[in-house]
Amino acid sequence: MREAIDILDARRRQVHTKGSQPFQLDCEKHSVAGSVSQRACVFCGSRVVLYPITDALHLVHGPIGCAAYTWDIRGAQSSGSQLHRMSFSTDLREKDVIYGGEKKCEAALIELIGRYRPKAAFVYATCIVGLIGDDLEAVCRRVTAQTGVETIPVHSEGFAGSKKDGYTAACAALDRLVGTSESPPPDGPSINILGDFNIAGETWIIRDYYERMGVNVISTITGDGRVDDIRRAHQAQLNVVQCSGSMKGLARLMKQKYDIPFVHVSYFGLEDVSKALYDVAEQFNDPAMMQRTTQLVRDEISAVMPQLRRYRDALQGKKAAVYTGGAFKAFSLVRSLRTLGVQTVIAGSQTGNPQDYQQLESLCDDGTVLLDDTNPLELAKFIDQTGADLLIGGVKERPIAYKLGVAFCDHNHERKRCLAGYEGMVNFANEVYSSVCSPVWSLSPRKRHAPPVKRSIGPGPLVTADAGLPLNTKAPQCPTAATVPSAGSDSHACGVCQLKAHCSGLAAQETETA
Ligand code: SF4
């Protein structure tokens, strides 16, 4: 296969093999026409960010096809209102394209707001709305005045860029809500969680970590979000931003307007989730909080390491391809796979910037293929060339893996399984193991003559974190437990977390046994 697939000339500078030549990777470019990019449109980017605001009305102003990918396909959960799961569309037709769609949009909003009484309404412009020039600002002003429900246009015309531009449009829409509540701020340290989408309840897990540290969470904007919480998000002392591509825009706006600092974090993998918690604790400069954080990290890592060791025993030496929406998640995946003994041989993203790719390159081993805005044929070519056993991606990458006869792990928003936090790392290991070590791949043409895969992961019952069962092995003692440093100290680094300090030190054991 590899000889049969060539890279388009216009894309050659968006592909780099680490170690082959000095690092250079073009990115942040329009997709090459005809390359069948895996990227999504502007409207999709906006919707990803705003739809998890669960008590708002979301109206797609456009043809019904734009709304076909309903929110229920995704795994984002709500602890209350389920209004966000409804897929409302103005269903623009030929007549509307000729005469304009404003009246239809206004009538739909009045009817829906009257029926559902949402806390706010978002109206998404799609490609055709940009072409015919409907004035959504005017429509939303009239509806807000008539209903008293804040109605916000989202300028997300699909053709006007890529998914990343949709994030910017969503942040601009959110900026209209933030700061519109006068309720009193909470006592004590407080944060907003940005860029976590509560897939399979992940935001609830992360929120629980912060609350155990003694931090108040004012709003979880993009996961199980509430309009009233977003209105008072300006009261927080810190914005904690995951998926920096999607929410850095809002964090920057809030820094400018309200002088709220922000930190970038990731909750995927032991290293990154531990670092996230320590980074937040360091921002508050409170020794007691740092002590609680240290204890939390130590307890959580101790609980999951026995399981992870057993998965690593089975997975050692396997190879993975990683293709994500934003590059930040790719960093976490490379580290998480390394914890499991799996080498990343392909890494790429839809929307990475030059700094992202620089960091990604420094994380990967020599020979790793780095890809920006790739396409199915390139992925197939490099999976074949590198002998990857596993592809980690989203709904658009799944068929590529299965057609090639390689394992697949869904790490996107369609999944229904928690992969964030410490328990999420056990689930991730289980997903990778279950797929890579499935006997079905021995029937695929590329593996028919390969040696059989190791199926056993050692004695004892195997449970996953989300099974709600106790982990089955005695937790190892942290060799550095007695010497965990105080806040701000850099006295010892942990090989699992690669943190400045603080970790429970289980890594030392890991490094010895690797
Ligand atoms: S906004 Fe445009 S690109 Fe996006 S789904 Fe609708 S028609 Fe397609």
Side-chain angles (χ1 to χ4, degrees):
M1 180 195 290
R2 69 189 69 164
E3 280 76 29
I5 301 175
D6 206 358
I7 300 170
L8 294 171
D9 283 343
R11 282 204 32 83
R12 286 192 187 282
R13 293 168 66 87
Q14 286 171 276
V15 179
H16 174 80
T17 302
K18 181 171 177 180
S20 62
Q21 54 195 314
F23 178 64
Q24 190 187 4
L25 191 74
D26 276 4
C27 55
E28 295 189 308
K29 295 170 62 171
H30 288 305
S31 299
V32 173
S35 72
V36 197
S37 166
Q38 304 283 95
R39 274 179 182 161
C41 74
V42 179
F43 157 63
C44 177
S46 298
R47 187 167 77 149
V48 165
V49 171
L50 296 173
Y51 256 67
I53 303 171
T54 59
D55 52 0
L57 178 88
H58 301 271
L59 176 64
V60 182
H61 186 36
I64 194 68
C66 296
Y69 178 79
T70 72
W71 196 252
D72 259 5
I73 293 172
R74 304 172 77 90
Q77 293 192 8
S78 169
S79 58
S81 171
Q82 302 293 326
L83 183 56
H84 68 306
R85 293 170 61 190
M86 308 282 268
S87 209
F88 299 114
S89 165
T90 49
D91 186 19
L92 290 182
R93 305 283 177 101
E94 211 171 330
K95 199 176 91 183
D96 308 309
V97 172
I98 295 166
Y99 295 106
E102 288 180 22
K103 283 186 184 160
K104 198 171 188 181
C105 183
E106 193 166 332
L109 282 166
I110 301 283
E111 181 185 337
L112 290 169
I113 289 171
R115 187 180 298 183
Y116 294 101
R117 297 308 302 168
K119 293 277 187 175
F122 293 98
V123 188
Y124 301 81
T126 56
C127 283
I128 198 65
V129 173
L131 287 173
I132 63 179
D134 280 357
D135 187 350
L136 279 194
E137 290 282 349
V139 170
C140 289
R141 262 197 312 273
R142 289 196 294 272
V143 173
T144 302
Q146 186 174 334
T147 63
V149 172
E150 183 139 7
T151 304
I152 301 170
V154 186
H155 297 289
S156 54
E157 293 83 357
F159 58 76
S162 74
K163 190 177 182 183
K164 210 170 180 175
D165 300 284
Y167 298 153
T168 306
C171 289
L174 283 168
D175 183 46
R176 296 180 179 216
L177 271 184
V178 174
T180 55
S181 167
E182 298 304 327
S183 63
D187 292 333
S190 57
I191 60 170
N192 296 309
I193 297 177
L194 282 71
D196 189 276
F197 297 91
N198 203 32
I199 308 299
E202 288 171 345
T203 306
W204 301 331
I205 290 171
I206 303 305
R207 184 179 190 132
D208 176 64
Y209 294 156
Y210 287 128
E211 288 174 352
R212 284 161 63 189
M213 288 162 53
V215 177
N216 293 303
V217 178
I218 291 190
S219 69
T220 55
I221 295 179
T222 52
D224 197 16
R226 297 287 185 280
V227 169
D228 287 345
D229 293 343
I230 296 168
R231 287 186 189 281
R232 64 188 195 99
H234 62 298
Q235 296 170 343
Q237 293 159 0
L238 179 70
N239 278 327
V240 185
V241 188
Q242 185 177 239
C243 185
S244 57
S246 66
M247 290 305 283
K248 197 156 68 181
L250 183 64
R252 282 202 183 116
L253 287 170
M254 291 175 74
K255 171 82 180 123
Q256 285 164 16
K257 280 174 121 172
Y258 309 107
D259 200 26
I260 302 174
F262 61 91
V263 289
H264 287 151
V265 300
S266 167
Y267 301 117
F268 297 114
L270 300 187
E271 295 174 42
D272 286 6
V273 67
S274 303
K275 185 173 186 312
L277 303 183
Y278 283 129
D279 283 354
V280 170
E282 278 185 2
Q283 290 286 322
F284 291 106
N285 197 24
D286 174 354
M289 183 189 293
M290 185 58 79
Q291 191 58 45
R292 287 193 292 274
T293 307
T294 303
Q295 189 63 47
L296 186 158
V297 170
R298 181 186 300 154
D299 292 348
E300 294 289 339
I301 291 187
S302 298
V304 300
M305 282 312 293
Q307 294 282 83
L308 296 180
R309 281 199 194 94
R310 296 166 66 204
Y311 284 118
R312 190 172 70 182
D313 186 39
L315 292 167
Q316 193 79 47
K318 298 293 181 193
K319 294 188 273 188
V322 169
Y323 191 66
T324 56
F328 218 69
K329 192 195 282 184
F331 307 155
S332 299
L333 286 172
V334 172
R335 293 190 192 103
S336 299
L337 288 164
R338 201 168 273 154
T339 303
L340 297 176
V342 178
Q343 184 194 3
T344 302
V345 290
I346 301 170
S349 78
Q350 295 174 31
T351 58
N353 63 33
Q355 296 77 32
D356 292 336
Y357 287 123
Q358 198 86 47
Q359 190 172 341
L360 192 56
E361 198 241 14
S362 67
L363 266 178
C364 292
D365 299 319
D366 273 357
T368 304
V369 180
L370 301 170
L371 300 163
D372 174 65
D373 185 24
T374 194
N375 56 60
L377 279 180
E378 284 178 11
L379 277 173
K381 172 190 178 73
F382 291 117
I383 286 172
D384 188 43
Q385 275 185 3
T386 58
D389 302 286
L390 167 75
L391 173 59
I392 301 179
V395 67
K396 297 193 289 291
E397 286 78 39
R398 184 192 295 272
I400 301 170
Y402 290 163
K403 282 181 186 173
L404 292 171
V406 301
F408 179 76
C409 172
D410 185 348
H411 212 295
N412 206 350
H413 292 192
E414 294 78 18
R415 64 190 158 83
K416 305 290 186 283
R417 197 171 189 196
C418 152
L419 300 180
Y422 298 98
E423 47 269 73
M425 180 65 193
V426 177
N427 291 338
F428 175 66
N430 177 264
E431 290 264 327
V432 171
Y433 165 76
S434 303
S435 193
V436 169
C437 297
S438 166
V440 73
W441 308 122
S442 63
L443 303 174
S444 75
R446 70 199 290 267
K447 288 283 172 71
R448 211 170 275 158
H449 305 296
V453 295
K454 181 173 180 178
R455 291 279 300 137
S456 164
I457 64 164
L462 186 69
V463 295
T464 59
D466 63 0
L469 299 170
L471 294 166
N472 65 328
T473 339
K474 221 175 95 187
Q477 289 306 303
C478 167
T480 57
T483 58
V484 170
S486 56
S489 165
D490 282 356
S491 62
H492 66 260
C494 168
V496 168
C497 301
Q498 298 294 316
L499 299 174
K500 289 179 203 158
H502 318 124
C503 182
S504 66
L506 285 164
Q509 289 183 338
E510 286 303 293
T511 312
E512 279 163 23
T513 54

